[in-house]
Amino acid sequence: MSTGYPPLSTEEERRANQHGAIKAEVVDDVSREVADRAAGTQVAGEAEKIDHAAGALRQHALDEVVGTERAAQRSRGIARLSQFLDYGFFLIYALFAIRFFLGLANARPTSGFVKFIVAVTDPLFAPFRNIVESPKLDGGGHILMPIVIALLAYGVLHFAINRLLRVVIERKTAI
């Protein structure tokens, strides 16, 4: 299920570019300062002011780089967690879909595969059992409406968890 947001790798790439831009800015500022000192273009009283301003700018840029690196590490960890959650939910969707199609096909409940699918999905399906009637088809199968409702409910839960993770990793910064 798509969250409507760019993939986490896009966000990580944006932060890496931001990190590179800040580093380049610090290098440019230091280079300019060295060039000015070498050229002797500074007025005697301004050297202290320039040193202080350059130091403050350098410290601010370094703090931003460290913050960006921490945010990128946190994003990678949450992205990995999100991948595991997505895998788990997609596994649930697949098992429910198999159970749904087995019901449509009027599969024998005594079959080993049917027993396996029912046993695996029952703990997740239990809250939705008998919510609504399952209409019978002409061929003897059932349209298992509670499974459709379970799929929708788990889809909403999956979306909500992904959205929460997205909120955790997004960090608004001003540069």
Side-chain angles (χ1 to χ4, degrees), residues 15 22 38 46 52 63 76 79 85 98 108 111 117 119 129 132 145 161 163 172 174:
R15 287 185 182 193
I22 291 170
E46 291 182 2
H52 179 36
D63 290 345
R76 281 191 288 275
L85 286 170
I98 291 169
R108 288 188 207 118
S111 165
I117 294 296
R129 187 180 313 284
V132 294
M145 289 307 292
I161 290 171
R163 183 63 184 117
K172 306 286 186 212

Side-chain angles (χ1 to χ4, degrees), residues 93-107 113-114 117 137 141-144 147 151:
Y93 302 149
L95 291 169
F96 276 157
I98 291 169
R99 186 168 176 172
F100 180 81
F101 287 116
L102 288 173
L104 276 178
N106 198 25
F113 182 71
V114 174
I117 294 296
L137 299 173
H142 291 86
I143 297 178
L144 299 172
I147 293 217
L151 280 168

